[in-house]
Amino acid sequence: MTAVANQKVKGKIPNETIKEFWRLYKKDKLAVFGLFMLVFFVLTAALADFAPYNPFRISDESFAPPSLKHFFGTDDLGRDLFSGVVYSVRTSLFIAVSATLLSTFIGVFVGAIAGYFSGSIGGFWTRVTEVAQTIPAFLLCILLVSIFKPSIWNVLLSIGVLNWTRMARVVRAEFLSLRERQFVESALSLGESRTRIIFSEILPNVLPVIIATFSMDVAYAVVFESGLSFLGLGDFNVMSLGILLYTAKQYLHVWWISFIPGLVLFLLALSFNLIGDQLSIIFSPKLRQR
Amino acid sequence: MDTAGTVGIKSVLEIQDLRVYYRTMKGLVRAVDGVNLKIKKGEVVGLVGESGCGKSTTAFAIMNLLPKEAEIFSGKIIFKGVNLLLTSERELAKIRGKKISMIFQDPSSYLNPVLKIGDQMAEVIADANGGKDALARNRIVDQLTLLRIPSPGVIVNRYPHELSIGMQQRVLIATALMPKPDLIIADEPTTALDVTVQCQVLQLINELVHEVGCSLLLITHDLGIVAEACDTVYVMYAGKIVESADVVTLYETPLHPYTIGLLESVLSIDEFRERVQTMPGSAPNLINPPSGCRFHPRCKFAMEICVQKEPPTIDVGHGHSVSCWLIKKRSDL
Amino acid sequence: MSFLLKAANLKKYYPVGRFFLKKLMLRAVDGVNLEINSGRIFALVGESGSGKTTLGKLLLRLIEPTSGSIFFDGTDITKLSSDKFKKVRRNMAMIFQNPFDSLNPRKTVFQIMRRPFELYKNKRTKFDIKAEVEKVLNMCGLSPAADFFDRYPHELSAGQRQRVVIARAVAVQPKFIVADEPTSQLDVSVQAQILNLLKELQEKLHVSMLFITHDLAIVRSIANDVSIMYLGKIVEVAEVTRLFMQPLHPYTQALLSATPIPNPRVARSRKRFLVVGEPPSPINPPKGCYFNDRCPYRMAKCMDVQPELNQIADNHSVACHLYK
């Protein structure tokens, strides 16, 4: 304990806490697997430009099965599937993470207000969340994207704007319980303004849960985006897993065209899910070590 | 040191050299490190100490209700001639709640919220009928009446949340007393109660214990309660018993520096203190306790031997024992 | 004698639903009149449900009263706008009960301590604030102060945490502090240290303190004046020595009798004044004196008329029909 105190790191996370966090995280082997998978995917996305072929490059080797020349085979237009998948991972990650950043921003904002304020203000925003939850987000997304031309930005925006309700719910719950805590009362008695209390006192305590929920939301966004593209609403100028699957719709009997993108999609979503799940467990009050 | 075969006839419970350690990720916590305790029939024994001294662990060890991280390293717990630590779980289950009852601090955690009071109390005297027959019912109502619970016939059909905390605690005490146990272990039974209710409950416990003739092990940090209710007192510090004596002797002529310091820190409605005496420092880390006498870093009489060796337990007469090198020096002279 | 703080007919009722047509109210604080002089420690004693914590929070305007006034330094603070009140609030502080919960677990001691200075002092430079924080921490027994700057609450013992809470309260030298059971969750030896600290600080800074507690033993040694609260009402107010010498209200006598004395000879020979039953519900208090259903001296009048707080002697008032 004294080692930590002597470290003089102002507000930053000391090494011991990181070690402790990793020790708790390691407990679930699947979660560790998920983490490695994610790291692998992120590297893939970063190094996508080193893919062997231009994914859009049409060749006359259509329907070629996986081989040393084409690791994942080719599709109906002879495009290399491996390069396609690699670029898709980058696109999917980009869209999913960006969209979730947007939805997190909205969700935290709404959740904080709904949770901190009692009475009409809090009540109003709680109702807003509840109503938004019941709206079939996917259908609305479809509607939005069809009205405005399908493009990577429209997909990103529509997911971001519609996927915030889980975050809002979670943040609201945290604020509801934290606002009763004595350190918040102390801050009030000191004369802190409400804004200050929300952002400076309560929010830092909600951060771990936000991070955990963020991960889960990204998993959801990944699948969401693929769904949209699968239905033909994605941006066909960009390669994404959903678009690959869209092509695969017509050629389900050609196993590598449908199975491989599907598997990658599954693993990508799964990795975020596993990580988010384990983070939720670590950050849940019952298991907080102290 | 007594061995199991030569336990005094009058002892209901005798703890010999009990050591309970907790395995934690930071190391081995020596929560109870060589505790000796004797409870005679009909005696009220107080086990006093501040938080973390190991008193609750001692209580739970008697009934083998320790969490899985805890391990009883050594020692004997002899209940009416039988070493409980060598008894099977099945036999222990027969003793728990029947021959040895426990009362805990927070009554609401120990009452099942979905069962009626009468049904829960019946579990202790359950027999073939499951305690639902008229005879059992009458016993329960009688017991509640004994504890001055108003309208016991009605209470029996109520749920725990319909009762105040004071009532809940009284129900638990009634439940503990019903099977006419030989020993009751009460771990901070009145800490959660208001002072007027605490007074009523303590008086009741006292009366009933004397009526039933059972022994009581009262675990608390409150020196006022101990003075009021106990016959004999054991003072615990950092996993060890530092002093034990009958209650009057302990309060009037304490010998161990910790006991003296503790008694000087306690305020009373009886007198005004301009400035309260305090002991420097705080309770030690039990993973790496101080060498020798565990109190030496805070003791103004500490000598060199206190740092080096653990003090022996010295009998200064009339049932008064102290574990201190200073006393040993004095008694040697 | 000029008083620093005066509460006049202060009430706080909470609506708790309906019983047919009647709206049910929980009367947490039911018409309290109080006067606290500057430089004195005023103890407020009561059991759970007496309303003492609610009263403490009302005086700081952490909760808004249902009716009544609170005069601080001559001004009625219940009528102030929140901007104007901010200036007054600088002179008030609160110390809470739970040392494990009063500090933000994600902030270091320094981050916690600098807020009062940032809010109320013009010294904005980090260097100045550091110096001030150091001074306060040292004053509260946390020295060397610099060692504590970067520690998180969970790295401190309960006693150290409570010292930080106290340091934060006295940081900008308020005139009035409400201490809500500041030692009830501490070990006996630590409690003694904290009580000494509070007494010391009170004398040094000439602060008025409202010391809320359920423990009369503490009151005897630390307070100058004491008031006893029962079910939202003040039943007796007196200077401390007077109260212990001559407790008038039956409830006060019951409290004193019920408080254990850490002296076995005295404890076993004392005459007990036992009171039966438990406090009635604050939603449906009895007609007349709230204590009447448990009072061994009950008269016919007690069941009908609520007694007012009457001054019996120079520094002793009681609300009881026995004393008129």
Side-chain angles (χ1 to χ4, degrees):
Chain A
M1 290 252 209
T2 15
V4 178
N6 289 336
Q7 223 161 353
K8 301 260 186 224
V9 271
K10 298 209 196 316
K12 292 221 170 54
I13 309 168
N15 280 339
E16 253 203 33
T17 316
I18 298 183
K19 268 193 254 164
E20 172 67 17
F21 172 81
W22 179 240
R23 193 192 66 90
L24 286 169
Y25 189 89
K26 266 194 317 188
K27 282 190 177 177
D28 188 350
K29 301 286 180 279
L30 269 179
V32 176
F33 172 64
L35 187 63
F36 279 125
M37 262 206 297
L38 181 62
V39 168
F40 174 71
F41 281 128
V42 169
L43 280 172
T44 310
L47 301 170
D49 293 314
F50 291 99
Y53 300 90
N54 180 333
F56 291 103
R57 176 177 157 269
I58 302 175
S59 76
D60 49 0
E61 292 167 359
S62 43
F63 297 113
S67 64
L68 280 173
K69 188 165 181 223
H70 297 281
F71 298 139
F72 288 170
T74 63
D75 67 358
D76 57 331
L77 295 176
R79 297 178 288 196
D80 178 41
L81 205 55
F82 178 73
S83 310
V85 166
V86 158
Y87 272 97
S88 304
V89 167
R90 171 192 278 189
T91 313
S92 293
L93 269 177
F94 171 71
I95 296 181
V97 171
S98 316
T100 309
L101 281 171
L102 175 60
S103 68
T104 298
F105 186 77
I106 300 176
V108 169
F109 180 78
V110 172
I113 296 185
Y116 183 77
F117 293 97
S118 43
S120 42
I121 307 179
F124 172 72
W125 286 101
T126 311
R127 296 288 101 70
V128 165
T129 315
E130 286 171 6
V131 167
Q133 256 170 250
T134 57
I135 297 177
F138 197 61
L139 293 177
L140 206 60
C141 247
I142 294 174
L143 194 65
L144 281 176
V145 175
S146 356
I147 295 177
F148 307 98
K149 261 184 314 128
S151 82
I152 193 174
W153 297 107
N154 287 338
V155 168
L156 200 157
L157 277 171
S158 51
I159 297 178
V161 158
L162 291 166
N163 206 18
W164 54 268
T165 53
R166 180 205 287 221
M167 179 67 74
R169 253 202 339 269
V170 164
V171 168
R172 173 178 177 267
E174 288 290 308
F175 266 81
L176 274 177
S177 85
L178 283 168
R179 77 171 180 199
E180 305 298 329
R181 298 273 294 273
Q182 224 154 65
F183 68 85
V184 172
E185 261 191 318
S186 294
L188 277 169
S189 76
L190 202 59
E192 300 274 25
S193 68
R194 281 199 297 224
T195 327
R196 179 96 207 182
I197 290 184
I198 293 178
F199 286 102
S200 184
E201 297 284 333
I202 303 185
L203 205 50
N205 284 287
V206 187
L207 223 44
V209 176
I210 293 179
I211 295 174
T213 313
F214 178 85
S215 192
M216 307 285 256
D217 280 347
V218 171
Y220 200 69
V222 163
V223 175
F224 219 79
E225 177 274 318
S226 303
L228 282 174
S229 306
F230 179 74
L231 290 175
L233 293 165
D235 189 342
F236 283 86
N237 298 320
V238 178
M239 196 51 74
S240 89
L241 291 170
I243 290 178
L244 289 176
L245 288 168
Y246 176 82
T247 318
K249 257 195 290 195
Q250 304 158 294
Y251 306 108
L252 287 171
H253 52 281
V254 189
W255 70 268
W256 58 90
I257 300 183
S258 53
F259 178 69
I260 294 181
L263 179 67
V264 170
L265 175 64
F266 168 70
L267 290 176
L268 185 60
L270 183 67
S271 65
F272 277 106
N273 241 312
L274 289 173
I275 295 173
D277 214 24
Q278 183 66 346
L279 287 179
S280 306
I281 293 178
I282 293 179
F283 295 137
S284 96
K286 294 191 194 79
L287 295 160
R288 246 177 232 145
Q289 307 266 337
R290 198 118 295 137
Chain B
M1 189 93 80
D2 275 300
T3 59
T6 59
V7 161
I9 311 162
K10 287 189 278 181
S11 279
V12 164
L13 185 80
E14 189 163 337
I15 301 179
Q16 292 176 5
D17 201 34
L18 183 66
R19 286 171 207 273
V20 182
Y21 298 164
Y22 285 86
R23 296 181 190 286
T24 69
M25 357 155 282
K26 297 205 173 89
L28 202 64
V29 177
R30 308 161 80 105
V32 176
D33 214 2
V35 160
N36 293 293
L37 196 126
K38 221 190 273 194
I39 304 179
K40 299 201 272 265
K41 181 164 157 60
E43 193 183 18
V44 178
V45 168
L47 184 55
V48 157
E50 297 179 295
S51 57
C53 70
K55 52 193 198 295
S56 290
T57 307
T58 310
F60 285 117
I62 298 174
M63 281 323 318
N64 200 9
L65 289 173
L66 293 167
K68 60 172 163 53
E69 302 86 50
E71 199 179 310
I72 302 181
F73 254 57
S74 64
K76 294 192 180 123
I77 299 180
I78 302 163
F79 174 65
K80 288 169 61 162
V82 177
N83 186 352
L84 292 179
L85 294 177
L86 297 175
T87 319
S88 68
E89 175 60 30
R90 203 149 57 119
E91 291 297 316
L92 275 179
K94 289 195 201 151
I95 299 178
R96 250 186 239 132
K98 303 198 177 50
K99 297 260 175 55
I100 303 182
S101 296
M102 278 193 83
I103 305 170
F104 302 94
Q105 179 175 338
D106 178 16
S108 49
S109 323
Y110 291 93
L111 282 170
N112 189 332
V114 300
L115 285 181
K116 292 189 188 159
I117 298 288
D119 294 333
Q120 295 190 47
M121 290 183 71
E123 281 174 13
V124 220
I125 49 173
D127 49 16
N129 290 327
K132 287 215 197 295
D133 61 348
L135 210 63
R137 261 304 189 256
N138 284 336
R139 259 186 86 178
I140 293 175
V141 173
D142 285 341
Q143 194 70 24
L144 290 173
T145 318
L146 235 77
L147 267 118
R148 314 239 179 89
I149 293 179
S151 353
V154 176
I155 296 288
V156 152
N157 285 319
R158 287 253 193 284
Y159 289 93
H161 66 263
E162 296 177 284
L163 298 159
S164 66
I165 301 193
M167 282 300 170
Q168 289 176 3
Q169 194 65 307
R170 270 186 251 214
V171 164
L172 281 169
I173 296 169
T175 314
L177 282 166
M178 231 170 24
K180 300 217 194 299
D182 296 301
L183 172 68
I184 301 181
I185 303 174
D187 189 0
E188 309 265 15
T190 57
T191 309
L193 305 175
D194 278 327
V195 81
T196 46
V197 180
Q198 171 177 279
C199 183
Q200 295 169 353
V201 166
L202 280 175
Q203 289 236 317
L204 270 172
I205 294 182
N206 223 329
E207 276 173 30
L208 293 168
V209 156
H210 284 116
E211 208 177 280
V212 170
C214 64
S215 313
L216 175 65
L217 176 62
L218 182 59
I219 296 159
T220 179
H221 64 276
D222 188 330
L223 287 163
I225 296 180
V226 170
E228 308 238 326
C230 302
D231 303 316
T232 312
V233 185
Y234 285 79
V235 180
M236 207 162 164
Y237 181 79
K240 291 186 176 290
I241 304 275
V242 296
E243 189 163 2
S244 63
D246 70 271
V247 68
V248 176
T249 313
L250 192 93
Y251 278 76
E252 293 189 350
T253 47
L255 291 174
H256 195 283
Y258 176 65
T259 316
I260 297 173
L262 205 60
L263 287 168
E264 281 180 349
S265 313
V266 177
L267 292 170
S268 167
I269 54 173
D270 242 13
E271 51 173 10
F272 165 78
R273 299 237 188 112
E274 172 71 42
R275 198 188 151 81
V276 193
Q277 287 292 354
T278 58
M279 286 183 279
S282 55
N285 178 339
L286 289 176
I287 295 176
N288 226 350
S291 59
C293 171
R294 292 190 178 177
F295 188 63
H296 83 251
R298 307 172 70 183
C299 183
K300 53 183 170 191
F301 304 108
M303 308 176 286
E304 228 184 88
I305 192 172
C306 303
V307 186
Q308 291 163 356
K309 284 209 296 193
E310 273 186 34
T313 308
I314 303 136
D315 185 353
V316 293
H318 304 294
H320 189 170
S321 307
V322 196
S323 192
C324 179
W325 284 115
L326 192 67
I327 308 303
K328 172 108 176 85
K329 229 169 68 160
R330 281 196 209 149
S331 75
D332 282 344
L333 297 169
Chain C
M1 250 196 298
S2 67
F3 48 81
L4 178 68
L5 191 127
K6 176 179 163 124
N9 204 13
L10 202 55
K11 290 190 187 166
K12 180 66 187 173
Y13 290 179
Y14 291 99
V16 284
R18 282 182 204 291
F19 184 70
F20 295 110
L21 291 168
K22 209 166 63 152
K23 219 195 286 188
L24 286 176
M25 291 292 206
L26 193 152
R27 307 183 186 199
V29 174
D30 203 1
V32 161
N33 294 297
L34 204 61
E35 274 178 29
I36 301 176
N37 292 311
S38 39
R40 311 267 288 178
I41 299 186
F42 190 99
L44 181 60
V45 177
E47 296 181 293
S48 58
S50 59
K52 56 192 196 294
T53 302
T54 312
L55 180 57
K57 291 190 190 171
L58 279 170
L59 293 178
L60 253 53
R61 257 188 83 177
L62 274 177
I63 308 178
E64 295 293 333
T66 309
S67 69
S69 326
I70 304 166
F71 294 92
F72 184 76
D73 234 355
T75 328
D76 186 350
I77 58 174
T78 54
K79 306 244 181 323
L80 289 179
S81 66
S82 24
D83 288 323
K84 292 223 182 76
F85 182 61
K86 198 167 178 207
K87 295 203 188 79
V88 178
R89 176 173 262 153
R90 180 217 186 285
N91 284 310
M92 303 169 133
M94 188 148 181
I95 297 171
F96 290 88
Q97 180 177 353
N98 186 341
F100 297 95
D101 214 27
S102 309
L103 300 173
N104 190 331
R106 298 211 158 263
K107 289 195 167 181
T108 61
V109 169
F110 181 71
Q111 288 170 332
I112 294 173
M113 284 303 301
R114 70 187 204 201
R115 284 310 294 159
F117 296 107
E118 285 175 351
L119 281 169
Y120 297 117
K121 289 244 160 129
N122 287 324
K123 298 193 175 115
R124 290 261 170 209
T125 67
K126 198 163 183 188
F127 181 74
D128 285 331
I129 291 185
K130 259 195 174 162
E132 296 274 351
V133 171
E134 209 167 329
K135 206 163 67 169
V136 179
L137 287 179
N138 279 321
M139 193 164 62
C140 292
L142 291 168
S143 37
D147 275 359
F148 288 94
F149 276 17
D150 296 314
R151 293 222 202 146
Y152 286 90
H154 66 264
E155 294 164 5
L156 304 171
S157 70
Q160 289 171 328
R161 268 185 255 211
Q162 204 64 325
R163 286 179 196 265
V164 173
V165 171
I166 294 173
R168 179 174 56 181
V170 300
V172 287
Q173 309 211 348
K175 291 188 193 164
F176 178 62
I177 298 180
V178 173
D180 189 0
E181 309 239 35
T183 57
S184 58
Q185 302 213 1
L186 302 173
D187 278 327
V188 166
S189 49
V190 181
Q191 178 169 289
Q193 295 173 358
I194 298 295
L195 285 174
N196 281 337
L197 174 64
L198 284 172
K199 238 183 165 179
E200 214 179 276
L201 287 172
Q202 192 268 330
E203 279 164 33
K204 209 190 275 192
L205 303 171
H206 203 71
V207 162
S208 289
M209 214 185 275
L210 179 72
F211 195 99
I212 302 174
T213 179
H214 63 275
D215 189 349
L216 279 166
I218 296 180
V219 172
R220 178 116 199 216
S221 290
I222 195 169
N224 304 117
D225 308 298
V226 56
S227 62
I228 311 283
M229 216 166 153
Y230 185 78
L231 220 63
K233 286 186 176 294
I234 302 240
V235 298
E236 190 164 359
V237 189
E239 209 215 309
V240 162
T241 31
R242 273 216 63 133
L243 189 101
F244 282 90
M245 227 166 36
Q246 206 189 7
L248 294 177
H249 197 284
Y251 178 61
T252 313
Q253 294 170 1
L255 268 183
L256 279 168
S257 181
T259 306
I261 294 181
N263 182 327
R265 280 202 217 271
V266 173
R268 280 147 218 254
S269 60
R270 65 200 280 216
K271 287 209 179 48
R272 252 27 215 281
F273 177 90
L274 272 185
V275 70
V276 290
E278 292 181 355
S281 150
I283 300 175
N284 212 3
K287 187 164 180 253
C289 172
Y290 285 176
F291 191 61
N292 83 66
D293 58 343
R294 304 170 73 192
C295 184
Y297 304 119
R298 177 174 70 184
M299 309 179 288
K301 192 175 189 188
C302 304
M303 298 194 275
D304 244 349
V305 182
Q306 262 187 28
E308 295 288 318
L309 201 61
N310 281 325
Q311 191 164 20
I312 304 296
D314 201 19
N315 37 27
H316 201 154
S317 309
V318 67
C320 180
H321 292 305
L322 286 172
Y323 310 96
K324 267 299 189 322

